[in-house]
Every structure is written in C-alpha cells, then in structure tokens.
Amino acid sequence: MTSHSTQGLAGVVAGRTALSTVGKEGCGLTYRGYSIEDLAAQATFEEVGWLLLRGELPTAQQLTDYRARLQSLRELPAALKAVLEQLPDTAHPMDVLRTSCSALGCLEPESATAGTFDVTDRLLATFPSMLAYWHWFQTQTKRIETHSEEDSIAGHFLHLLHGQRPSELHRQAFDSSLILYAEHEFNASTFTARVVTSTLSDIYSAITGAIGTLRGPLHGGANEAAFDLINRFTTADDAERGVMDLLARKEKIMGFGHRVYRDCDPRSPIIQHWAKRLAEEVGDTRLYPVSERIEAVLRREKKLFPNLDFYSASVFHFLGIPTLYFTPLFVFSRTAGWAAHVLEQRSENRLIRPTADYIGSEPRAFVPITER
Ligand code: COA
C-alpha cells in the first residue's frame, strides 16, 4: 500500500540525470557541476543555456555565434501571429504560450527541422516575441516587429515590452533571474516533459505539456500568487497581521517551502539581492519591507524559507512587468532545462510508466442496466 509520504512521488528516485543537483547538503544547486552562485555571478543566461544543452561552457566565439543565432530566430511566422491575434485579451498569458508552442509545432514540426537543437533555439528565441506580440496586439491593437538590437533574451524582452532599451541594471537583474529559473532536476514540469518524451513523442508536445504543468500555483504559478499576497499589504506590520491570520486559517503562503530543499533555497538570497537593489532604485518603501517581514514571520512561525518565486515576484514588478506575465518569464528560461532533459531522456529512453496500488472495489458482478 502507498504510504502518504510516497504520494506525490516524494523521495522517489524516478530516473537519472547529469544536468543538475538539487538540495545536496540541504541547500545546494549545481548545473552540470557549476554552482548556482558562480553561474549567477559570472555567467549570462545564453551561456547557461548552452551549458545545459551541450554539456560544457561555450568559448567566447561559440557564445557570440549562439547569441547571433538566437537573435536571427526571433521573427514569428505570419500564421502564428494570426493565432495570437485570435486569442482573447482575457486569456491567461501561460495559456497563450502553451497554445503558441503547440501552434509552432504544427507550422515548423520537429521532423521538418534539423533536429532538437534547432527547435530549442527557435523556442528560446520566439517565446519572448510571442508574449510581446500578443501583449501589444491585445492592449493597443498594435502589430509590433519582434526583433531588436539587443543580443540577450533578457534585454530583448524588456525592450519589446517597454518599447525602449532597458537600463543595464534591469537587463542584468532579469538575466540573473533567467539563470536561476533555467533548470531544477525532476521538478513537476520537467518530469512531464520527460514522460511525454519517453513515448517517443516530439519536443513541442513535451514543452507544451511542461508549460501546462508549470502554470499551477504549487509550481511556477507561485511567483504570480506571491506578488498578489505581497501587494495586499500597506506596511510591514500590516503584513505581519495578515500572514498570521492566513497561518491561523492553515492557508499556504505562496513562494515558501520546497519539496526537495530542507534548509534553504540557494536561489533565494541571489534574487533577494536583486529585489533590494531594484527597490532602492525606485525608492520603494513598501513592497521590499513587506516581503522581508513576511519572510521573518514564516521563519519564526513555521521554520519555512522563501523559494525562488518569492523575491522574484518583486524583481519582476520593479522591472515593470505585469503580474500575469511572471510565470511566462519562467517559461522563457526553463525551456533550456526542459529541452536538455528531452535530449537526455532520448539518449537512454525507456517508456515511463509506473504502477499504482489499487484502492477500489473488490471484483463484483456486472448489473445490467434494466436491473439497476
Ligand atoms: N505555507 C504554509 N505552510 C506550508 C507551506 C507554505 N508555503 N509549504 C509547506 N507548508 C507546510 C504544510 O502545510 C505542511 O504542514 P503539515 O505537515 O502541518 O500539514 C508541511 O509544511 C509540508 O508541506 P507539503 O505541502 O506536504 O509539502 P510538499 O513537499 O508536498 O509541497 C510545495 C512542496 C512547494 C508544494 C509547498 O511547500 C507549497 O505549496 N509551497 C507554496 C507554493 C510554492 O511556493 N511553490 C513553488 C515551489 S518552488
């Protein structure tokens, strides 16, 4: 019989990976052996994407070429623009990206490309374009060009969204958050991508499924929910009262806790640093102090620590990004990790098909409809 602790596959080793380690010594995160602290401080998102997908850091020339390649792939096919124009302004942006990914899979199927790397590059290059195109069409009925002179995905999206070049501080803050979100072992959306891949399906199907999984508030949707919480309070004292009330009602506080990390989420102090810098830049005296107080209350009352989503919410807000776009930004980044897992799953594939403990009725005689 399944015990409660194995429900949700908690603690179950469901495969092997050379991509990342999560929670070693309670608190660590590495991508291909490099610590998240080193990558966030010294690399760029494109370098990390290359590392995850190809196994080694790129040389300077490889990185220049890779940036140029991604830059050249940002244009959306006319048929995809037509799809985006048909989607209502009430659609959740995660649904927009999920549909767009699936639509691109019809227009440029994997079987018609040179392979998985090509599709991955195309998705990394076009997800920001898809969201920005839909944004401008739905808010201003404006059909934007989806290229810019920015050679980073972070700079490109901020440029498209705000219609002007971002400051270096904003580009760096966003780039750092993309690095932190890029990969996280067998999390729910990555596992989805691996299950889809294990049936020998295509990469668009794997990533479309992963986007659907990421959308929920227990996973990627937590950054959106965390901001709604933080933004409710006017002062730190108000936040303390509000969070104590929520805890008394046994409600979950989004952006706290983790399935694997036991002591801390190593990404949190890195993103918190950016939240603090951006708060100082805009002269914020509300959101950052409120966030710090919520963190203190959760530590004191429940011994819970913030995960990446908690301070990311403020970072994205200070970058002028609408709350509903927070989880889509996670997609821009995690696409690198998802695709690397698709490649890894294919390299030693076996159909993922677990079994279940049956808890239903004992065998019984069928009752014809006339006798029921
Ligand atoms: N707020 C309040 N209590 C929380 C909590 C949170 N964010 N996260 C965990 N807990 C408590 C649970 O209520 C539970 O307490 P109990 O044993 O008294 O019932 C205990 O801690 C274990 O939580 P559980 O939900 O069973 O752990 P899990 O491993 O299944 O869940 C998460 C992990 C991430 C889903 C969970 O921590 C959560 O829902 N967090 C909020 C959503 C979030 O931020 N998701 C992004 C993850 S990166």
Side-chain angles (χ1 to χ4, degrees), residues 66-119:
Y66 188 46
R67 286 182 186 283
R69 176 170 163 70
L70 292 175
Q71 209 171 351
S72 73
L73 292 171
R74 290 172 178 165
E75 196 57 48
L76 302 176
L80 182 52
K81 290 182 186 169
V83 170
L84 287 165
E85 290 177 17
Q86 292 301 311
L87 299 176
D89 59 3
T90 51
H92 192 289
M94 281 298 276
D95 298 344
V96 172
L97 287 191
R98 190 194 59 216
T99 299
S100 304
C101 180
S102 186
L104 194 65
C106 298
L107 300 168
E108 301 172 8
E110 188 174 10
S111 55
T113 69
T116 316
F117 284 105
D118 274 14
V119 178

Side-chain angles (χ1 to χ4, degrees), residues 15-288:
R16 49 189 218 161
T17 183
L19 285 164
S20 58
T21 61
V22 173
K24 283 225 166 134
E25 286 110 41
C27 198
L29 171 62
T30 63
Y31 297 170
R32 299 258 190 211
Y34 295 102
S35 79
I36 195 64
E37 288 81 8
D38 283 351
L39 292 169
Q42 298 178 61
T44 60
F45 174 68
E46 286 74 13
E47 266 175 283
V48 167
W50 179 284
L51 169 72
L52 289 170
L53 288 156
R54 280 128 178 126
E56 295 298 333
L57 289 167
T59 63
Q61 188 58 52
Q62 283 170 329
L63 182 60
T64 304
D65 294 348
Y66 188 46
R67 286 182 186 283
R69 176 170 163 70
L70 292 175
Q71 209 171 351
S72 73
L73 292 171
R74 290 172 178 165
E75 196 57 48
L76 302 176
L80 182 52
K81 290 182 186 169
V83 170
L84 287 165
E85 290 177 17
Q86 292 301 311
L87 299 176
D89 59 3
T90 51
H92 192 289
M94 281 298 276
D95 298 344
V96 172
L97 287 191
R98 190 194 59 216
T99 299
S100 304
C101 180
S102 186
L104 194 65
C106 298
L107 300 168
E108 301 172 8
E110 188 174 10
S111 55
T113 69
T116 316
F117 284 105
D118 274 14
V119 178
T120 305
D121 290 349
R122 184 80 166 124
L123 287 173
L124 284 168
T126 52
F127 275 138
S129 304
M130 294 168 189
L131 185 61
Y133 188 89
W134 178 77
H135 166 82
W136 282 106
F137 188 80
Q138 296 305 338
T139 57
Q140 315 272 329
T141 328
K142 196 170 159 192
R143 295 184 167 92
I144 60 159
E145 296 300 329
T146 56
H147 47 76
S148 75
E149 65 260 40
E150 310 291 337
D151 69 353
S152 67
I153 289 172
H156 175 60
F157 178 68
L158 292 176
H159 194 159
L160 289 189
L161 183 69
H162 298 313
Q164 60 185 37
R165 294 201 79 159
S167 68
E168 190 49 20
L169 177 70
H170 286 198
R171 194 201 57 72
Q172 277 181 12
F174 189 27
D175 196 71
S176 182
S177 85
L178 293 178
I179 292 174
L180 300 177
Y181 271 123
E183 159 58 15
H184 221 213
E185 199 222 38
F186 275 30
N187 60 86
S189 57
T190 300
F191 195 61
T192 301
R194 290 191 78 128
V195 171
V196 175
T197 303
S198 81
T199 70
L200 303 184
S201 187
D202 69 303
I203 183 169
Y204 290 101
S205 298
I207 293 190
T208 302
I211 295 172
T213 310
L214 188 69
R215 188 191 192 300
L218 293 190
H219 191 8
N223 55 17
E224 191 186 315
F227 188 73
D228 291 340
L229 174 76
I230 297 164
N231 201 27
R232 246 188 251 174
F233 304 117
T234 46
T235 63
D237 287 345
D238 182 23
E240 171 134 8
R241 280 188 294 273
V243 170
M244 289 298 285
D245 268 3
L246 291 172
L247 291 178
R249 295 205 301 269
K250 303 229 172 298
E251 285 194 33
K252 276 207 167 154
I253 312 297
M254 294 303 159
F256 284 85
H258 201 270
R259 170 59 67 77
V260 182
Y261 295 124
R262 285 293 137 230
D263 305 332
C264 80
D265 179 338
R267 304 165 299 177
S268 180
I270 303 172
I271 202 68
Q272 182 179 0
H273 151 87
W274 285 109
K276 190 163 191 285
R277 277 187 73 181
L278 294 173
E280 283 162 3
E281 187 205 34
V282 297
D284 164 77
T285 53
R286 181 174 73 92
L287 294 172
Y288 191 75

Side-chain angles (χ1 to χ4, degrees), residues 22 42 78-79 156 190 294 304 309 350 371:
V22 173
Q42 298 178 61
H156 175 60
T190 300
I294 296 174
L304 281 171
D309 290 319
R350 186 161 185 223
E371 292 171 29

